[in-house]
Short mmCIF file of all heavy atoms in Angstrom, two decimals:
data_model
loop_
_atom_site.label_atom_id
_atom_site.label_comp_id
_atom_site.label_asym_id
_atom_site.label_seq_id
_atom_site.Cartn_x
_atom_site.Cartn_y
_atom_site.Cartn_z
N ASP A 4 0.42 8.53 -0.53
CA ASP A 4 0.88 9.78 -1.12
C ASP A 4 1.64 10.55 -0.06
O ASP A 4 1.11 10.82 1.01
CB ASP A 4 -0.32 10.58 -1.61
CG ASP A 4 0.08 11.84 -2.35
OD1 ASP A 4 1.21 12.33 -2.16
OD2 ASP A 4 -0.77 12.34 -3.12
N PRO A 5 2.93 10.90 -0.30
CA PRO A 5 3.71 11.60 0.72
C PRO A 5 3.14 12.95 1.09
O PRO A 5 3.51 13.53 2.09
CB PRO A 5 5.10 11.73 0.08
CG PRO A 5 4.89 11.55 -1.37
CD PRO A 5 3.67 10.69 -1.53
N ARG A 6 2.23 13.48 0.29
CA ARG A 6 1.62 14.77 0.61
C ARG A 6 0.47 14.63 1.62
O ARG A 6 -0.04 15.60 2.10
CB ARG A 6 1.14 15.45 -0.66
CG ARG A 6 2.31 15.96 -1.50
CD ARG A 6 1.85 16.34 -2.84
NE ARG A 6 1.60 15.09 -3.56
CZ ARG A 6 1.51 14.99 -4.87
NH1 ARG A 6 1.60 16.04 -5.62
NH2 ARG A 6 1.31 13.83 -5.44
N GLU A 7 0.08 13.39 1.93
CA GLU A 7 -0.95 13.16 2.94
C GLU A 7 -0.25 13.06 4.29
O GLU A 7 0.43 12.10 4.57
CB GLU A 7 -1.72 11.88 2.65
CG GLU A 7 -2.56 11.94 1.39
CD GLU A 7 -3.26 10.63 1.11
OE1 GLU A 7 -3.33 9.77 2.01
OE2 GLU A 7 -3.72 10.46 -0.02
N GLN A 8 -0.41 14.07 5.12
CA GLN A 8 0.28 14.15 6.40
C GLN A 8 -0.52 13.52 7.52
O GLN A 8 -1.73 13.53 7.49
CB GLN A 8 0.50 15.60 6.79
CG GLN A 8 1.43 16.36 5.94
CD GLN A 8 1.51 17.78 6.45
OE1 GLN A 8 0.97 18.66 5.83
NE2 GLN A 8 2.15 18.00 7.56
N ASN A 9 0.21 13.01 8.53
CA ASN A 9 -0.45 12.67 9.77
C ASN A 9 0.01 13.68 10.81
O ASN A 9 0.77 14.60 10.50
CB ASN A 9 -0.16 11.22 10.18
CG ASN A 9 1.26 10.98 10.61
OD1 ASN A 9 1.90 11.84 11.23
ND2 ASN A 9 1.80 9.81 10.31
N ALA A 10 -0.45 13.55 12.02
CA ALA A 10 -0.18 14.57 13.07
C ALA A 10 1.30 14.74 13.39
O ALA A 10 1.69 15.80 13.89
CB ALA A 10 -0.94 14.20 14.33
N ASN A 11 2.13 13.77 13.10
CA ASN A 11 3.55 13.85 13.42
C ASN A 11 4.41 14.32 12.25
O ASN A 11 5.62 14.37 12.36
CB ASN A 11 4.08 12.52 13.94
CG ASN A 11 3.44 12.14 15.26
OD1 ASN A 11 3.11 13.00 16.07
ND2 ASN A 11 3.26 10.86 15.48
N GLU A 12 3.79 14.60 11.13
CA GLU A 12 4.53 15.05 9.96
C GLU A 12 4.37 16.54 9.78
O GLU A 12 3.29 17.09 9.90
CB GLU A 12 4.06 14.29 8.72
CG GLU A 12 4.39 12.82 8.84
CD GLU A 12 4.18 12.05 7.57
OE1 GLU A 12 4.22 12.66 6.49
OE2 GLU A 12 3.98 10.85 7.66
N HIS A 13 5.51 17.19 9.50
CA HIS A 13 5.55 18.64 9.44
C HIS A 13 6.46 19.08 8.31
O HIS A 13 7.21 18.29 7.76
CB HIS A 13 6.08 19.22 10.76
CG HIS A 13 5.39 18.68 11.96
ND1 HIS A 13 4.18 19.14 12.39
CD2 HIS A 13 5.74 17.68 12.80
CE1 HIS A 13 3.82 18.46 13.47
NE2 HIS A 13 4.75 17.57 13.74
N PHE A 14 6.41 20.38 8.02
CA PHE A 14 7.30 21.00 7.06
C PHE A 14 7.94 22.20 7.72
O PHE A 14 7.26 23.00 8.37
CB PHE A 14 6.53 21.44 5.81
CG PHE A 14 6.06 20.28 4.98
CD1 PHE A 14 4.86 19.64 5.28
CD2 PHE A 14 6.83 19.79 3.94
CE1 PHE A 14 4.43 18.56 4.55
CE2 PHE A 14 6.40 18.70 3.20
CZ PHE A 14 5.20 18.08 3.51
N ALA A 15 9.26 22.30 7.60
CA ALA A 15 9.98 23.44 8.19
C ALA A 15 9.46 24.73 7.58
O ALA A 15 9.23 24.79 6.37
CB ALA A 15 11.48 23.29 7.94
N ARG A 16 9.27 25.72 8.40
CA ARG A 16 8.72 27.00 7.93
C ARG A 16 9.63 27.60 6.85
O ARG A 16 9.16 28.13 5.87
CB ARG A 16 8.58 27.98 9.08
CG ARG A 16 8.16 29.37 8.60
CD ARG A 16 7.87 30.29 9.72
NE ARG A 16 6.54 30.00 10.22
CZ ARG A 16 6.03 30.49 11.32
NH1 ARG A 16 6.73 31.30 12.05
NH2 ARG A 16 4.81 30.18 11.69
N PHE A 17 10.93 27.57 7.05
CA PHE A 17 11.87 28.12 6.08
C PHE A 17 12.56 26.96 5.38
O PHE A 17 13.23 26.17 6.01
CB PHE A 17 12.88 29.03 6.76
CG PHE A 17 12.22 30.16 7.50
CD1 PHE A 17 12.10 30.14 8.87
CD2 PHE A 17 11.67 31.23 6.79
CE1 PHE A 17 11.47 31.17 9.55
CE2 PHE A 17 11.04 32.26 7.46
CZ PHE A 17 10.93 32.23 8.84
N GLY A 18 12.39 26.86 4.10
CA GLY A 18 13.00 25.78 3.33
C GLY A 18 12.03 24.69 2.96
O GLY A 18 12.26 23.93 2.04
N GLY A 19 10.93 24.58 3.71
CA GLY A 19 9.88 23.63 3.38
C GLY A 19 10.23 22.17 3.50
O GLY A 19 9.55 21.31 2.96
N VAL A 20 11.29 21.83 4.24
CA VAL A 20 11.73 20.44 4.36
C VAL A 20 10.71 19.63 5.14
O VAL A 20 10.22 20.04 6.17
CB VAL A 20 13.12 20.37 5.06
CG1 VAL A 20 13.54 18.94 5.30
CG2 VAL A 20 14.14 21.11 4.23
N HIS A 21 10.39 18.45 4.62
CA HIS A 21 9.44 17.53 5.23
C HIS A 21 10.15 16.74 6.32
O HIS A 21 11.20 16.17 6.10
CB HIS A 21 8.92 16.60 4.13
CG HIS A 21 7.85 15.67 4.56
ND1 HIS A 21 7.53 14.56 3.83
CD2 HIS A 21 7.01 15.66 5.62
CE1 HIS A 21 6.55 13.91 4.42
NE2 HIS A 21 6.22 14.57 5.51
N PHE A 22 9.55 16.69 7.52
CA PHE A 22 10.12 15.88 8.59
C PHE A 22 9.02 15.28 9.44
O PHE A 22 7.88 15.74 9.44
CB PHE A 22 11.10 16.69 9.45
CG PHE A 22 10.48 17.78 10.28
CD1 PHE A 22 10.11 17.55 11.59
CD2 PHE A 22 10.27 19.04 9.74
CE1 PHE A 22 9.53 18.55 12.35
CE2 PHE A 22 9.70 20.06 10.50
CZ PHE A 22 9.33 19.82 11.82
N ARG A 23 9.37 14.23 10.17
CA ARG A 23 8.45 13.54 11.06
C ARG A 23 8.98 13.69 12.49
O ARG A 23 10.14 13.39 12.76
CB ARG A 23 8.38 12.07 10.69
CG ARG A 23 7.40 11.24 11.47
CD ARG A 23 7.28 9.83 10.88
NE ARG A 23 6.78 9.91 9.51
CZ ARG A 23 7.49 9.55 8.44
NH1 ARG A 23 8.72 9.08 8.56
NH2 ARG A 23 6.97 9.65 7.23
N SER A 24 8.15 14.17 13.40
CA SER A 24 8.58 14.34 14.78
C SER A 24 8.32 13.07 15.57
O SER A 24 7.37 12.35 15.31
CB SER A 24 7.88 15.53 15.43
OG SER A 24 6.49 15.32 15.45
N HIS A 25 9.19 12.83 16.56
CA HIS A 25 9.06 11.66 17.42
C HIS A 25 8.77 12.05 18.86
O HIS A 25 8.60 11.17 19.71
CB HIS A 25 10.34 10.82 17.37
CG HIS A 25 10.73 10.42 15.98
ND1 HIS A 25 9.93 9.61 15.19
CD2 HIS A 25 11.80 10.73 15.23
CE1 HIS A 25 10.52 9.44 14.01
NE2 HIS A 25 11.66 10.12 14.01
N VAL A 26 8.74 13.34 19.12
CA VAL A 26 8.50 13.86 20.47
C VAL A 26 7.57 15.06 20.38
O VAL A 26 7.41 15.63 19.30
CB VAL A 26 9.83 14.26 21.16
CG1 VAL A 26 10.74 13.04 21.34
CG2 VAL A 26 10.55 15.34 20.39
N PRO A 27 7.00 15.49 21.48
CA PRO A 27 6.13 16.68 21.46
C PRO A 27 6.90 17.94 21.08
O PRO A 27 8.10 18.04 21.31
CB PRO A 27 5.62 16.78 22.91
CG PRO A 27 5.88 15.47 23.54
CD PRO A 27 7.05 14.87 22.81
N PRO A 28 6.19 18.93 20.52
CA PRO A 28 6.84 20.19 20.12
C PRO A 28 7.59 20.88 21.26
O PRO A 28 8.64 21.47 21.04
CB PRO A 28 5.68 21.06 19.64
CG PRO A 28 4.57 20.13 19.34
CD PRO A 28 4.77 18.93 20.20
N GLN A 29 7.08 20.77 22.47
CA GLN A 29 7.74 21.41 23.61
C GLN A 29 9.15 20.85 23.83
O GLN A 29 10.08 21.58 24.15
CB GLN A 29 6.92 21.23 24.90
CG GLN A 29 5.55 21.86 24.86
CD GLN A 29 4.49 20.98 24.18
OE1 GLN A 29 4.76 19.91 23.65
NE2 GLN A 29 3.26 21.46 24.20
N GLN A 30 9.30 19.54 23.63
CA GLN A 30 10.61 18.92 23.80
C GLN A 30 11.56 19.38 22.69
O GLN A 30 12.75 19.62 22.94
CB GLN A 30 10.48 17.40 23.81
CG GLN A 30 11.76 16.70 24.17
CD GLN A 30 11.58 15.20 24.35
OE1 GLN A 30 10.45 14.71 24.45
NE2 GLN A 30 12.67 14.47 24.35
N ILE A 31 11.05 19.52 21.47
CA ILE A 31 11.87 20.02 20.37
C ILE A 31 12.31 21.45 20.67
O ILE A 31 13.49 21.80 20.51
CB ILE A 31 11.11 19.92 19.04
CG1 ILE A 31 10.99 18.44 18.63
CG2 ILE A 31 11.80 20.73 17.94
CD1 ILE A 31 10.13 18.17 17.43
N ASN A 32 11.38 22.28 21.12
CA ASN A 32 11.72 23.67 21.44
C ASN A 32 12.76 23.77 22.55
O ASN A 32 13.68 24.60 22.47
CB ASN A 32 10.46 24.45 21.82
CG ASN A 32 9.54 24.68 20.65
OD1 ASN A 32 9.96 24.63 19.49
ND2 ASN A 32 8.28 24.92 20.92
N ARG A 33 12.63 22.95 23.59
CA ARG A 33 13.63 22.94 24.66
C ARG A 33 15.00 22.55 24.13
O ARG A 33 16.01 23.17 24.47
CB ARG A 33 13.22 21.97 25.78
CG ARG A 33 12.37 22.57 26.85
CD ARG A 33 12.27 21.68 28.07
NE ARG A 33 11.86 20.31 27.79
CZ ARG A 33 10.61 19.89 27.70
NH1 ARG A 33 9.61 20.74 27.88
NH2 ARG A 33 10.33 18.64 27.44
N PHE A 34 15.03 21.52 23.28
CA PHE A 34 16.29 21.06 22.71
C PHE A 34 16.94 22.18 21.90
O PHE A 34 18.15 22.44 22.06
CB PHE A 34 16.05 19.83 21.82
CG PHE A 34 17.29 19.29 21.20
CD1 PHE A 34 18.10 18.40 21.88
CD2 PHE A 34 17.67 19.67 19.91
CE1 PHE A 34 19.26 17.89 21.30
CE2 PHE A 34 18.82 19.19 19.33
CZ PHE A 34 19.63 18.29 20.03
N ILE A 35 16.18 22.84 21.05
CA ILE A 35 16.71 23.93 20.23
C ILE A 35 17.21 25.07 21.11
O ILE A 35 18.28 25.63 20.88
CB ILE A 35 15.67 24.42 19.21
CG1 ILE A 35 15.37 23.32 18.19
CG2 ILE A 35 16.15 25.70 18.51
CD1 ILE A 35 14.18 23.61 17.31
N GLY A 36 16.46 25.39 22.15
CA GLY A 36 16.85 26.46 23.06
C GLY A 36 18.15 26.18 23.78
O GLY A 36 18.87 27.12 24.17
N ARG A 37 18.50 24.93 23.95
CA ARG A 37 19.74 24.54 24.63
C ARG A 37 20.93 24.38 23.70
O ARG A 37 22.04 24.18 24.16
CB ARG A 37 19.50 23.25 25.41
CG ARG A 37 18.54 23.43 26.55
CD ARG A 37 18.25 22.14 27.26
NE ARG A 37 17.30 22.37 28.35
CZ ARG A 37 16.53 21.43 28.87
NH1 ARG A 37 16.60 20.19 28.42
NH2 ARG A 37 15.70 21.72 29.85
N LEU A 38 20.69 24.46 22.40
CA LEU A 38 21.80 24.35 21.44
C LEU A 38 22.69 25.58 21.54
O LEU A 38 22.19 26.69 21.73
CB LEU A 38 21.27 24.26 20.01
CG LEU A 38 20.66 22.94 19.55
CD1 LEU A 38 20.05 23.10 18.16
CD2 LEU A 38 21.67 21.83 19.57
N PRO A 39 24.00 25.40 21.38
CA PRO A 39 24.89 26.57 21.33
C PRO A 39 24.51 27.44 20.12
O PRO A 39 23.99 26.95 19.11
CB PRO A 39 26.28 25.97 21.12
CG PRO A 39 26.15 24.50 21.35
CD PRO A 39 24.71 24.14 21.23
N ALA A 40 24.77 28.73 20.22
CA ALA A 40 24.40 29.67 19.17
C ALA A 40 24.91 29.22 17.80
O ALA A 40 24.20 29.34 16.80
CB ALA A 40 24.92 31.06 19.49
N GLY A 41 26.10 28.68 17.71
CA GLY A 41 26.66 28.24 16.45
C GLY A 41 25.91 27.09 15.81
O GLY A 41 26.01 26.86 14.60
N LYS A 42 25.16 26.35 16.61
CA LYS A 42 24.37 25.23 16.08
C LYS A 42 22.96 25.66 15.70
O LYS A 42 22.17 24.87 15.24
CB LYS A 42 24.29 24.10 17.12
CG LYS A 42 25.61 23.49 17.46
CD LYS A 42 26.14 22.67 16.32
CE LYS A 42 27.44 21.98 16.74
NZ LYS A 42 27.98 21.20 15.65
N ARG A 43 22.64 26.94 15.91
CA ARG A 43 21.32 27.47 15.56
C ARG A 43 21.41 28.48 14.43
O ARG A 43 20.47 29.23 14.17
CB ARG A 43 20.69 28.15 16.78
CG ARG A 43 20.26 27.16 17.84
CD ARG A 43 19.56 27.85 18.97
NE ARG A 43 20.57 28.31 19.93
CZ ARG A 43 20.46 29.37 20.70
NH1 ARG A 43 19.39 30.13 20.62
NH2 ARG A 43 21.41 29.69 21.53
N ASP A 44 22.56 28.53 13.74
CA ASP A 44 22.77 29.52 12.69
C ASP A 44 21.93 29.30 11.45
O ASP A 44 21.62 30.23 10.73
CB ASP A 44 24.25 29.57 12.28
CG ASP A 44 25.11 30.25 13.32
OD1 ASP A 44 24.56 30.94 14.19
OD2 ASP A 44 26.35 30.07 13.27
N SER A 45 21.58 28.05 11.18
CA SER A 45 20.82 27.77 9.96
C SER A 45 19.76 26.70 10.25
O SER A 45 19.92 25.87 11.15
CB SER A 45 21.73 27.30 8.83
OG SER A 45 22.16 25.97 9.06
N MET A 46 18.69 26.74 9.48
CA MET A 46 17.65 25.74 9.62
C MET A 46 18.21 24.36 9.33
O MET A 46 17.86 23.39 10.01
CB MET A 46 16.48 26.05 8.68
CG MET A 46 15.33 25.08 8.80
SD MET A 46 14.56 25.02 10.42
CE MET A 46 13.74 26.58 10.44
#
Side-chain angles (χ1 to χ4, degrees):
D4 185 338
R6 288 168 285 198
E7 293 178 15
Q8 293 178 254
N9 70 35
N11 294 329
E12 295 190 24
H13 310 279
F14 290 85
R16 174 174 280 171
F17 302 103
V20 175
H21 185 197
F22 68 94
R23 184 173 298 115
S24 62
H25 304 298
V26 297
Q29 298 84 355
Q30 188 173 345
I31 289 173
N32 290 338
R33 271 194 308 273
F34 180 85
I35 294 169
R37 293 177 181 158
L38 285 173
K42 297 289 184 181
R43 289 184 273 150
D44 286 343
S45 74
M46 182 61 71

